[in-house]
């Protein structure tokens, strides 16, 4: 059974940095696009950054120049390096990946359990 486990959140002061990780495990044949989303209290979940299997990336305007998404295909892991954090970055961050599991015949979307990021002085 495939699962995504994300980690690395915490409490950080404005201007600080955090690095999130998300590892996929299970009976995986292939992983397509991977992404990070976030959801702040009272707001809808929004896309933060995404990366293709070839390494092409795209970012929400609000994080461009501050966040960097990367992936290690050998480890089935996606990362989000967050620099110059602001209070408005406070949210639960979720990883997402399209995964081809052995025996299923297709890619399906999976979500991590979420990791809290709080930016506050």
């Amino acid at each position: 059974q495939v699962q995504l486990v994300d980690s690395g959140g915490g409490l950080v002061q404005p201007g600080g940095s955090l690095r999130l990780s998300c590892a996929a495990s299970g009976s995986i044949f292939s992983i397509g696009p991977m992404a990070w989303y976030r959801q702040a209290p009272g707001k809808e979940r929004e896309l933060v950054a995404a990366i293709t299997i070839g390494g092409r990336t795209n970012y929400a305007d609000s994080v461009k120049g501050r966040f960097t998404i990367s992936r290690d295909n050998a480890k089935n892991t996606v990362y989000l390096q967050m620099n110059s954090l602001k209070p408005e970055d406070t949210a639960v961050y979720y990883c997402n990946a399209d995964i081809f599991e052995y025996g299923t015949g297709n890619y399906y979307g999976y979500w991590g359990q979420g990791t809290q990021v709080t930016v506050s002085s």
Side-chain angles (χ1 to χ4, degrees), residues 3 5 9 11-13 34 48 50-52 62 86-87 97 102-103 109 111 113:
Q3 63 174 349
V5 177
L11 173 63
V12 63
Q13 292 186 342
M34 306 181 82
V48 176
I51 185 168
T52 66
S62 59
K86 304 175 180 179
Y102 282 105
W111 291 92
Q113 81 282 6

Side-chain angles (χ1 to χ4, degrees), residues 2 30 32-33 96-101 103-111:
V2 170
S30 177
N96 171 269
D98 289 344
I99 298 176
F100 195 121
E101 184 179 2
T104 62
N106 207 344
Y107 285 90
Y108 293 93
Y110 291 86
W111 291 92

Side-chain angles (χ1 to χ4, degrees), residues 8-12 16-20 80-83 85 117-118:
L11 173 63
V12 63
S17 298
L18 282 175
R19 188 191 193 212
L20 306 183
L80 186 68
Q81 178 66 44
M82 304 185 294
N83 299 327
L85 282 161
V117 172
T118 302

Side-chain angles (χ1 to χ4, degrees), residues 3 5 11 37 42 47 55 59 62-63 71 84-85 87 111-112 115:
Q3 63 174 349
V5 177
L11 173 63
Y37 288 74
L47 176 67
Y59 297 90
S62 59
V63 307
R71 63 189 287 170
S84 302
L85 282 161
W111 291 92
T115 184

Side-chain angles (χ1 to χ4, degrees), residues 4 24-25 28-34 52-53 71 73 75-77 97-100 107:
L4 294 177
S25 63
I28 297 171
F29 174 74
S30 177
I31 301 179
M34 306 181 82
T52 66
I53 192 170
R71 63 189 287 170
N73 292 329
K75 295 182 179 180
N76 292 337
T77 299
D98 289 344
I99 298 176
F100 195 121
Y107 285 90

